[in-house]
Amino acid sequence: MSHANAEVVHGDNYINHSKGIKSWLFTLDHKRIGIMYLFTVLTMFLIGGIFALGIRLELFSPGMQFLKPDQYNRFFTYHGAIMVFMVVIPLIPAALGNFVLPMMLGAKDVAFPRWNLFSYYIYITGIIVAVSTLFLKGVDTGWTFYTPYSIRSSSSATLVLLGAFIMGFSSILTGLNFIVTIHKLRAPGLTWDRLPLFLWGIYATSVIQILATPVLAITLLLALLERVLGIGIFDPKLGGDPVLFQHFFWFYSHPAVYIMILPAMGVISEVLPVFSRKPIFGYKMIAAATFGIALVSFLVWGHHLFVSGQSAFANFVFSLLTMFVAIPTGVKVFGWMGTLYKGSLRFNTPLLYALGFIFVFTIGGLTGVMLATVSIDVHLTDTYFVIAHFHYVMVGGSILAFLAGLHYWFPKFSGKMYPETAAKVGAWFVIIGFNVTFFPQFILGVLGMPRRYADYLPQFTTLNRVSTFGSWLLAIGFVTTAINLIYALKKGAKAGDNPWGALTLEWQTASPPPMENFNYDPVVTEGPYDYRGAKALMGSNA
Amino acid sequence: MAHVPAAERHHAHHFSSGVEEFDACKQGVWIFLVTEVLFFSGLFLAYAVLRVFHPEMMHKAHKLLDWRLGGLNTLILIFSSLTMALSVSAAQRGDNKKVIRYLWITFVCAFGFLIVKFFEYRHKFIEGMLPGSHYTYPHLTEKTAGLFFSCYFVMTGIHGIHVIVGMGLIYWLIRRAKHGEFGPNYFTPVEATGLYWHFVDLIWIYLFPLLYLVS
Amino acid sequence: MSNHHQPHGQDQDGAGHHHILSTSLALKIWGCLVVLTIATVAVAQVDLGFWNFTVAMLIASMKATLVCVFFMGLKWDHKENAIIFSTSFIFMAIFMILTFGDLLTRGNVYVHGSIVPEGMVHAKSKFKKPWVSSPELIARGNELFHTQCVMCHGPQGHGDGPAAAGLNPHPRNFTAPESQWKNGRKPSQMFETVTKGLGGMPSFASTPAEDRWALVHYVHSLGSPDPKDTPEDLKKIGIDPTKDDGGGAGEKVIPIGLAIDELAH
């Protein structure tokens, strides 16, 4: 985008600029905050993943293997709550976006660096409050906390509700920060039609965070007050309506899943042009579709209430509206395919993950359209079909895209290059393992296996065992990837400033970047994917 | 944090000018207010649901509130919005004495609001007009009357917490103003707190008729 | 939205950049707000029925607009901020409208019309003349009652089940005297109620007729044994008491029992 490489200075960078744990814990630098988020989120991913492995291990055979049903209920509750609130929601925006967004804008930092650090500590506080319950009575309501059970269940529910409430503010502050940064701190020449699609994704995500998360906050607060004060709004015993809780809860939680996927799509939109060495196909359409998806996401929450007692009329309306989200999504997939077509493809790990994403996310999205159809949903709801659907989009979507982004930006974060072959091995284990784990669950759902049950009928055994085996492949993939990247941090080859030859601003400065991001004032003179005139920027490690 | 006199204040390093910093901060507050609207929207929805499905109960229960106290509180908050706005103008003109004076009046109004609320709440507690399952008022025996008071206490309670936070912010401003930190070239915190305070007034502008007046 | 590139240290442009709200304008706005407050209190003393709410909200919105535009400075600010703030109300509206879209149309779940069979009373029954009470029917009714009805009507049929708290009107107390029964307490009248539904009571037309009769007889047994059905009462709901199956064209209900039979084998 700009041709000021000659001014890049090496040596002092954000890692070695100041030393000691305090300089990290009290930093105001968005890059350091991003790295702290990254490590925390990955730690929570490990914990949530252990619960997942526990679930799959228990489901290896019918009957109870090593868990009692009460414990099983806690396993899937914590798996869900940790993965949703502590991993996937903050994942790409906080762990990647914090680092990359200001740099892509040519800015020195986000608009409000202190609120940025504060949002990290709010996140940590929420985690501690919620996860402390693992050492108390534990929660078994499912991550959705439906009333009236969540009103009456174990004492730990209060703390988990409180922890999630606290974490919501982290999400809100991050979103607020990003919106103002994008509005006010763009480098000269960075007009809206030159904004990288990753930033369009983060921007739309931030708007959703601002609008939806507060409703989660009031929902959790009211549920807390129900438990503590018995106010009665959601409690049928006192004249309240439990389905009203579901309306409140899903008004946030549906847009929340688009908080999870829009940044992921943004990463894919960055990776594909770089590794196809081609401009993105349909830039304006993809940017518009991003906001289209964000808007539609607020209109469809009732599809989680199809069998909860929602009226037939509302079922019809929500079903219709839900189908609409497939349109902008399809536009994006089409744009990605158009980018790859006749591109000069380099099969580095980021591209491998991106290709995996397109395949897996499409399956996930199409099964979503199936579930949006009320007559089908009535049979498939609360079965493994739903579980497979949302894992396809959340894991197959967000996690694969995250891994694409992590490998893509790894040289920028660390100044080192990861070993390519080992990374690819990890990627294949993840992609194949993921499909082996979750594809059988579509079939199990259609055959009638209910979700959130600690046991199942004997005829479901084979498919469950295949799925459990898949979970081990998935685990091997994640562990391999982790070991590879940790090794690369210590012993990786030195990466150049721009090993991929990308055109966005973050690559036009040192790897790792200096504290101030740029040693010059960046000026943007062309689009972020304008590869036609950029052969000279081809990096040495391409 | 050290107290920097207004004339010496320098904008944060990642902004290119004081104007950019001011605009960014202002926009940040407006976005925060968006989150507050959505936060309260859940409460307004819960209230609406109760009104539509339990109209007689809501009608009878709302009569137990004293609209004169509610009206008094409305006038207090509106006046405090005026004084808050005047303190911003004073900061823009560099009239530090007026800044502090108007901030104090706003603070006292906020405190007055809470005093009135205290008396209202006390009356409710004594009479047993309590939320949900704690409702014991003998002269209104509609089965779900506790729900009205759940709404009343949660809505005015959360609003009250916002008032208390506002008082904290105003007090902080007074301290900073006493150190001469605000002037025509830097009054961002006053402006930001002003926006927040007007929003607190806004919520009450809707709460008052909904809870006290409409049947 | 371009960025200003000013050399560091020059923050003095702050004064020229901002609009200052004059004291006189501020006082005028405050005056309007006070007047509107008095107006809303005054209007609330008059009973305008439905319009009280609308007028109150209109006045509140006028006050809110005055605060936003003048006190909060949207009139003189970047248009962005006004757009940002108004967006919140759009989404608040979406939240409320779609939720009410569900809450207000709940009654439609139980569809009246062609799905409710007209020939309901002619449905085949394993019991002969199920409109006549018998200990077997009452026992069957007892069983059914405790699976399907206790949630609302309570274990003794006093209308005090757990779900009853949220229902308006209240579920029927089956021990109440006949005057309190909207459709009457004769078995045929109870049969009509359980078939068609009534108020918050859903229709149980898809339950086989004999089960409905069993429930009717059980519920009837909870109160006084009178009133009983006369042949005219039975004719009113289309039953010919001389025939074992009540006469009529035969099964016209949704054949759930048949379907279940087929599936189970």
Side-chain angles (χ1 to χ4, degrees):
Chain A
M1 287 171 83
S2 91
H3 301 268
N5 272 11
E7 298 184 42
V8 173
V9 171
H10 301 89
D12 184 59
N13 59 55
Y14 78 98
I15 303 176
N16 61 26
H17 181 82
S18 51
K19 295 223 160 40
I21 186 103
K22 273 209 210 152
S23 74
W24 279 81
L25 292 181
F26 296 110
T27 186
L28 292 179
D29 174 43
H30 67 97
K31 301 182 288 299
R32 286 190 168 193
I33 294 174
I35 297 294
M36 291 199 291
Y37 261 114
L38 181 61
F39 277 101
T40 312
V41 167
L42 291 179
T43 306
M44 299 319 295
F45 184 57
L46 175 64
I47 298 177
I50 290 174
F51 280 113
L53 288 173
I55 292 172
R56 286 275 21 118
L57 204 52
E58 173 54 51
L59 293 178
F60 186 77
S61 296
M64 301 313 292
Q65 309 334 306
F66 69 102
L67 288 175
K68 298 201 205 60
D70 265 351
Q71 292 170 317
Y72 181 83
N73 293 353
R74 281 162 173 73
F75 264 61
F76 68 69
T77 302
Y78 281 99
H79 170 70
I82 290 174
M83 288 305 200
V84 169
F85 293 118
M86 303 177 207
V87 179
V88 193
I89 292 266
L91 185 62
I92 294 177
L96 295 180
N98 259 315
F99 197 113
V100 171
L101 179 140
M103 297 193 69
M104 259 190 183
L105 290 173
K108 294 193 169 72
D109 209 314
V110 289
F112 309 116
R114 279 177 295 193
W115 287 107
N116 201 10
L117 182 68
F118 188 46
S119 83
Y120 175 69
Y121 282 114
I122 293 175
Y123 171 61
I124 296 283
T125 308
I127 290 179
I128 293 174
V129 170
V131 169
S132 70
T133 57
L134 282 175
F135 304 102
L136 302 168
K137 289 226 183 82
V139 178
D140 61 348
T141 59
W143 79 276
T144 47
F145 299 112
Y146 279 7
T147 58
Y149 183 57
S150 63
I151 302 173
R152 315 209 199 294
S153 72
S154 92
S155 52
S156 289
T158 306
L159 283 174
V160 177
L161 288 169
L162 184 61
F165 176 76
I166 293 170
M167 272 185 275
F169 290 101
S170 172
S171 197
I172 287 174
L173 283 175
T174 301
L176 190 158
N177 228 329
F178 285 170
I179 292 175
V180 179
T181 310
I182 291 176
H183 281 178
K184 303 289 187 191
L185 293 181
R186 296 196 309 279
L190 185 43
T191 47
W192 286 104
D193 59 342
R194 288 177 180 164
L195 199 67
L197 287 167
F198 179 61
L199 295 186
W200 277 110
I202 298 270
Y203 185 31
T205 303
S206 302
V207 172
I208 300 179
Q209 283 174 300
I210 294 299
L211 292 169
T213 317
V215 177
L216 177 73
I218 194 66
T219 307
L220 296 175
L221 184 61
L222 286 174
L224 265 171
L225 291 174
E226 278 279 14
R227 286 182 61 87
V228 170
L229 288 179
I231 55 175
I233 296 185
F234 300 136
D235 189 350
K237 258 169 110 172
L238 299 169
D241 184 1
V243 180
L244 188 63
F245 174 86
Q246 294 187 26
H247 275 293
F248 271 61
F249 180 83
W250 287 108
F251 181 82
Y252 162 77
S253 299
H254 189 81
V257 311
Y258 292 94
I259 294 176
M260 298 177 199
I261 202 63
L262 285 175
M265 292 173 161
V267 172
I268 301 303
S269 298
E270 284 310 313
V271 166
L272 288 181
V274 173
F275 292 90
S276 322
R277 203 105 201 108
K278 251 187 89 192
I280 190 92
F281 182 88
Y283 169 87
K284 287 205 175 111
M285 296 293 282
I286 296 183
T290 306
F291 267 90
I293 292 174
L295 173 62
V296 175
S297 76
F298 277 94
L299 304 174
V300 303
W301 77 85
H303 63 235
H304 298 273
L305 282 71
F306 279 158
V307 297
S308 297
Q310 190 171 250
S311 74
F313 173 73
N315 279 357
F316 156 68
V317 168
F318 280 116
S319 173
L320 185 62
L321 290 171
T322 307
M323 309 272 183
F324 278 117
V325 81
I327 300 175
T329 310
V331 163
K332 290 189 139 186
V333 178
F334 188 69
W336 294 327
M337 303 305 281
T339 309
L340 288 164
Y341 180 65
K342 287 201 173 158
S344 165
L345 304 184
R346 283 177 299 165
F347 278 98
N348 293 87
T349 307
L351 184 67
L352 183 50
Y353 276 115
L355 294 175
F357 171 95
I358 297 177
F359 173 70
V360 169
F361 175 74
T362 305
I363 295 177
L366 289 174
T367 53
V369 179
M370 288 171 70
L371 289 169
T373 313
V374 183
S375 50
I376 299 182
D377 186 76
V378 169
H379 301 281
L380 295 180
T381 196
D382 282 338
T383 66
Y384 265 79
F385 192 90
V386 177
I387 294 193
H389 158 70
F390 66 67
H391 281 92
Y392 260 78
V393 283
M394 285 208 265
V395 181
S398 302
I399 302 286
L400 286 190
F402 166 74
L403 289 170
L406 186 63
H407 286 83
Y408 176 55
W409 280 302
F410 184 85
K412 179 53 59 180
F413 293 174
S414 65
K416 306 264 173 74
M417 182 52 84
Y418 59 85
E420 184 61 51
T421 313
K424 284 216 181 77
V425 167
W428 280 113
F429 266 97
V430 166
I431 295 174
I432 294 179
F434 169 81
N435 281 289
V436 174
T437 309
F438 290 105
F439 199 83
Q441 295 187 6
F442 280 125
I443 306 174
L444 281 170
V446 171
L447 290 177
M449 179 178 171
R451 66 184 287 199
R452 293 180 169 167
Y453 276 39
D455 194 4
Y456 53 79
L457 296 173
Q459 58 256 42
F460 299 137
T461 308
T462 314
L463 286 170
N464 267 293
R465 289 206 170 141
V466 172
S467 177
T468 301
F469 175 65
S471 74
W472 299 334
L473 295 177
L474 195 49
I476 292 174
F478 287 134
V479 170
T480 311
T481 305
I483 293 176
N484 190 34
L485 291 178
I486 294 172
Y487 170 84
L489 280 178
K490 298 194 155 78
K491 299 232 176 80
K494 204 159 169 338
D497 296 339
N498 190 0
W500 311 121
L503 299 178
T504 42
L505 278 178
E506 78 274 23
W507 297 106
Q508 318 313 324
T509 185
S511 299
M515 207 59 164
E516 296 273 289
N517 294 346
F518 300 90
N519 292 105
Y520 59 97
D521 287 326
V523 176
V524 174
T525 51
E526 49 178 3
Y529 312 113
D530 206 352
Y531 285 100
R532 284 178 214 104
K535 288 221 162 67
L537 286 172
M538 201 69 164
S540 52
N541 286 31
Chain B
M1 220 189 308
H3 296 283
V4 179
E8 292 165 26
R9 203 194 175 271
H10 190 65
H11 61 78
H13 77 286
H14 58 285
F15 289 110
S16 54
S17 72
V19 176
E20 194 175 76
E21 181 182 56
F22 177 80
D23 281 345
C25 287
K26 214 174 179 192
Q27 189 165 97
V29 178
W30 277 110
I31 295 176
F32 171 68
L33 294 182
V34 166
T35 69
E36 290 274 39
V37 170
L38 268 306
F39 183 74
F40 277 95
S41 72
L43 292 174
F44 285 111
L45 177 59
Y47 168 84
V49 170
L50 286 182
R51 270 192 65 111
V52 169
F53 290 98
H54 301 273
E56 296 118 37
M57 179 279 285
M58 293 292 275
H59 173 74
K60 289 188 188 147
H62 108 270
K63 287 213 187 117
L64 298 173
L65 297 181
D66 188 349
W67 60 263
R68 293 161 307 181
L69 290 180
L72 173 63
N73 263 348
T74 309
L75 292 172
I76 290 175
L77 272 189
I78 292 177
F79 184 67
S80 74
S81 255
L82 168 69
T83 55
M84 186 74 230
L86 290 176
S87 87
V88 175
S89 301
Q92 287 174 301
R93 290 193 201 97
D95 188 342
N96 207 38
K97 275 213 179 72
K98 280 222 175 92
V99 171
I100 296 173
R101 183 192 309 156
Y102 285 129
L103 285 177
W104 268 121
I105 299 176
T106 314
F107 184 89
V108 168
C109 285
F111 191 64
F113 178 91
L114 291 176
I115 300 276
V116 173
K117 274 245 91 50
F118 168 76
F119 281 108
E120 282 189 273
Y121 276 21
R122 202 175 75 116
H123 170 256
K124 305 278 173 311
F125 274 54
I126 291 173
E127 297 287 342
M129 300 170 192
L130 292 170
S133 50
H134 304 280
Y135 179 78
T136 54
Y137 184 61
H139 301 295
L140 177 64
T141 48
E142 296 270 334
K143 241 191 158 174
T144 47
L147 290 179
F148 173 82
F149 287 98
S150 296
C151 232
Y152 170 76
F153 277 106
V154 174
M155 291 177 97
T156 61
I158 292 181
H159 177 261
I161 290 174
H162 282 81
V163 171
I164 294 172
V165 169
M167 285 176 70
L169 289 171
I170 294 168
Y171 180 70
W172 169 67
L173 286 182
I174 291 172
R175 286 205 44 154
R176 291 185 70 177
K178 287 210 167 114
H179 284 97
E181 287 189 49
F182 304 128
N185 65 323
Y186 179 67
F187 54 91
T188 312
V190 191
E191 174 85 44
T193 305
L195 287 177
Y196 171 80
W197 189 251
H198 294 308
F199 180 77
V200 170
D201 186 19
L202 266 182
I203 293 290
W204 186 260
I205 283 175
Y206 282 99
L207 279 187
F208 171 57
L210 286 176
L211 290 174
Y212 291 81
L213 296 182
V214 186
S215 49
Chain C
M1 250 174 295
S2 60
N3 298 313
H4 307 271
H5 271 275
Q6 313 239 330
H8 288 224
Q10 274 190 3
D11 289 307
Q12 282 79 2
D13 51 347
H17 176 79
H18 308 293
H19 171 270
I20 303 180
L21 177 66
S22 72
T23 308
S24 68
L25 181 57
L27 284 168
K28 285 201 188 98
I29 299 298
W30 172 66
C32 289
L33 290 171
V34 173
V35 166
L36 286 172
T37 306
I38 295 172
T40 198
V41 171
V43 171
Q45 312 301 322
V46 181
D47 181 14
L48 301 167
F50 163 76
W51 288 103
N52 274 111
F53 176 78
T54 316
V55 170
M57 287 299 100
L58 268 171
I59 296 180
S61 301
M62 282 197 270
K63 291 163 78 177
T65 310
L66 286 173
V67 172
C68 283
V69 167
F70 294 100
F71 281 167
M72 295 171 93
L74 281 178
K75 188 167 175 12
W76 307 284
D77 200 355
H78 299 294
K79 284 281 169 298
E80 259 185 347
N81 291 335
I83 295 174
I84 288 173
F85 193 58
S86 343
T87 312
S88 64
F89 295 103
I90 299 174
F91 284 86
M92 172 168 152
I94 291 175
F95 186 26
M96 296 180 101
I97 292 173
L98 283 176
T99 302
F100 270 106
D102 165 35
L103 296 176
L104 291 173
T105 55
R106 289 261 177 96
N108 292 348
V109 173
Y110 302 100
V111 177
H112 295 278
S114 57
I115 290 183
V116 174
E118 281 149 11
M120 55 193 175
V121 298
H122 304 291
K124 289 201 193 72
S125 168
K126 290 195 214 63
F127 292 87
K128 288 201 181 27
K129 301 198 178 173
W131 54 88
V132 178
S133 181
S134 71
E136 292 82 19
L137 277 169
I138 292 184
R140 173 122 184 87
N142 189 341
E143 222 182 279
L144 288 166
F145 185 87
H146 281 91
T147 48
Q148 301 222 17
C149 315
V150 283
M151 280 310 288
C152 293
H153 287 282
Q156 278 87 38
H158 292 157
D160 57 353
L167 287 173
N168 192 8
H170 232 56
R172 181 67 55 227
N173 176 350
F174 292 136
T175 60
E178 173 158 22
S179 52
Q180 291 185 22
W181 292 61
K182 199 158 181 177
N183 276 356
R185 234 190 119 246
K186 290 188 184 165
S188 59
Q189 292 166 325
M190 285 199 231
F191 186 83
E192 181 123 344
T193 306
V194 77
T195 303
K196 289 197 178 141
L198 177 65
M201 162 84 169
S203 151
F204 283 85
S206 53
T207 308
E210 73 197 30
D211 284 345
R212 277 177 273 144
W213 280 116
L215 278 167
V216 161
H217 292 307
Y218 172 74
V219 166
H220 196 85
S221 75
L222 293 175
S224 114
D226 288 310
K228 294 201 180 25
D229 280 324
T230 65
E232 282 71 37
D233 293 317
L234 292 168
K235 285 217 177 69
K236 239 198 263 177
I237 57 171
I239 290 183
D240 178 354
T242 59
K243 304 229 171 71
D244 271 348
D245 67 353
E251 192 88 73
K252 276 191 191 168
V253 295
I254 301 170
I256 293 177
L258 174 67
I260 291 176
D261 271 339
E262 292 294 314
L263 281 172
H265 300 108

